[in-house]
Amino acid sequence: MVVCVDRAGDVARSTGVTPPVVGREAVESLVIDLGQSDPADSSVNCFLEALRVGADLGDGPDDTVVAVVSGTADTAVGADRALAEQLDALVAAHDPDSAVVVVDTAGDERVVPIVESRLPVDAVDRVVVRQARDIESTYYLLKQFLADEELRESVLVPLGVVLLVFPILLTVTASLALAVASITAVLGAFLLYKGLNVDERLQDLSSQARDALYSGRVSIVTYVIAVGLTLVGAFAGALGVSGLSGAGAFVAAMTFVYHSVPWLALAALAGATGRLIDEFIREEALRASYLNLPFGTVAVGLVVRGFSAYFVEQAGVIPPVRTPALPFVAAGTLAPEERLTTFVLLGVLVSLVGIRVSSRVTGESGGDETP
């Protein structure tokens, strides 16, 4: 006899069939009913395995009895008692010499002692579903991941580097906290590098720089000048801050801005001018955006310079502006508010001049006003 054990009671619950189910045809019908009711139930595979074992053991399809016993109670004890009663009925009806027990879960395998108490058990066949959905999906996802070269380089290479570098850092620094902090910082930088597409941006930047060099654009030279002026501005700001003592963070920041903003404005002006020259050479009609950019850069620089000067003058870092004697105007000193107002008005004036110039030039050349 081949006994398939369903301790969970899926047979009665899903199909409404009263166990035990005896005979090949009855079990085959049960497989179809349960498969249609719940195709994901592994009991279907267990019943099919019982049919296969029964066919292998007998010379004919009816020589070996194939039966399915199922628990019909909600509790484990009640299910085991129901299984014992069904086994007693099978033994009384068919008087088998021995049994082969087919199970598909560890819970079903616990019923084997109950079967052994009724008749000898020759073997226990446990069915393992090789292609369970979660396992199969995980396997194919992992296989697809390993086949993707870009994903391997983005995940496996950094992970391998971490596993190699971490013990080295731990040995050199003799500090677990320092080693973990270093690895975390590097991983964070790598994630930002990938998340912000820095590699693609750098690749595009190098391509644009190469094209600019080959095409003879003026902007490539002015961009280099802009980078140099930016470095000079940062250095000038650092020098201005280095002379402070006892100043707060806000005053130090405003001092840095005050000393660096003229150079930064010149850097932006150099880049904007180079772009404007390139557009002038390449196109007959200039766009208003390129004409406005140099004037806007100077205007913003004047306004920022004025506000930063106001704060640092109020803090006593720089002296007030002294005006020379002019015809009909006596020499004097500008108050911080007057100094700020002068810079703001100059910025607005430069901006208005830029708008006027761009509108006139684009109007005469018939250029497009939109970038």
Side-chain angles (χ1 to χ4, degrees):
M1 175 181 288
V2 178
V3 180
C4 183
V5 178
D6 172 35
R7 192 186 187 196
D10 294 330
V11 171
R13 183 171 54 254
S14 300
T15 64
V17 177
T18 302
V21 180
V22 185
R24 290 186 59 87
E25 294 182 359
V27 174
E28 289 173 355
S29 177
L30 178 63
V31 169
I32 295 174
D33 294 339
L34 183 59
Q36 291 177 344
S37 175
D38 188 5
D41 195 340
S42 61
S43 297
V44 175
N45 298 276
C46 187
F47 300 160
L48 291 173
E49 176 66 8
L51 292 172
R52 186 193 67 80
V53 172
D56 291 342
L57 291 178
D59 296 332
D62 296 327
D63 292 342
T64 301
V65 178
V66 180
V68 175
V69 293
S70 177
T72 56
D74 295 332
T75 62
V77 176
D80 290 343
R81 294 187 63 180
L83 290 171
E85 293 175 359
Q86 295 170 34
L87 288 171
D88 291 337
L90 289 174
V91 171
H94 300 281
D95 192 20
D97 297 330
S98 61
V100 175
V101 182
V102 181
V103 297
D104 64 338
T105 63
D108 293 342
E109 200 166 354
R110 295 178 183 176
V111 183
V112 173
I114 300 177
V115 181
E116 289 177 334
S117 65
R118 268 73 180 173
L119 69 163
V121 175
D122 292 339
V124 177
D125 185 6
R126 183 173 182 181
V127 180
V128 178
V129 181
R130 291 191 299 269
Q131 293 184 348
R133 181 179 61 185
D134 295 339
I135 299 176
E136 183 184 16
S137 300
T138 304
Y139 169 74
Y140 282 108
L141 285 175
L142 182 61
K143 185 176 180 180
Q144 185 178 7
F145 167 76
L146 294 176
D148 193 323
E149 183 178 358
E150 184 176 356
L151 285 176
R152 289 202 311 268
E153 293 178 354
S154 301
V155 177
L156 296 183
V157 172
L159 183 60
V161 171
V162 168
L163 294 177
L164 287 175
V165 173
F166 180 74
I168 297 175
L169 287 176
L170 193 60
T171 303
V172 173
T173 61
S175 173
L176 178 61
L178 183 59
V180 172
S182 302
I183 294 296
T184 304
V186 173
L187 285 178
F190 176 77
L191 292 176
L192 287 176
Y193 179 83
K194 284 295 184 181
L196 297 175
N197 290 329
V198 177
D199 50 349
E200 296 182 3
R201 295 175 186 270
L202 291 177
Q203 186 176 1
D204 294 340
L205 182 61
S206 62
S207 300
Q208 293 175 2
R210 184 175 60 253
D211 295 340
L213 285 173
Y214 290 157
S215 60
R217 294 180 184 176
V218 179
S219 59
I220 191 66
V221 179
T222 58
Y223 287 158
V224 174
I225 296 173
V227 172
L229 292 174
T230 301
L231 295 176
V232 173
F235 182 73
L239 283 180
V241 175
S242 63
L244 296 178
S245 58
F250 181 77
V251 175
M254 289 298 101
T255 304
F256 180 87
V257 172
Y258 174 79
H259 289 284
S260 63
V261 72
W263 298 100
L264 298 179
L266 286 175
L269 182 61
T273 303
R275 187 69 179 272
L276 178 61
I277 295 174
D278 284 343
E279 289 295 320
F280 179 76
I281 295 174
R282 187 171 55 185
E283 299 180 4
E284 295 181 357
L286 291 176
R287 288 183 287 183
S289 57
Y290 292 111
L291 288 171
N292 282 328
L293 188 56
F295 293 95
T297 300
V298 175
V300 171
L302 288 172
V303 173
V304 174
R305 173 80 169 186
F307 277 100
S308 60
Y310 172 80
F311 290 117
V312 295
E313 184 178 346
Q314 290 283 32
V317 177
I318 60 174
V321 176
R322 299 184 180 276
T323 59
L326 298 174
F328 307 105
V329 178
T333 302
L334 290 180
E337 293 79 6
E338 295 173 342
R339 184 178 193 172
L340 173 60
T341 303
T342 302
F343 275 95
V344 171
L345 291 177
L346 285 175
V348 173
L349 179 61
V350 171
S351 179
L352 292 175
V353 170
I355 295 174
R356 179 62 178 172
V357 170
S358 63
S359 62
R360 173 167 295 186
V361 172
T362 54
E364 293 177 354
S365 60
D368 188 6
E369 294 290 334
T370 58

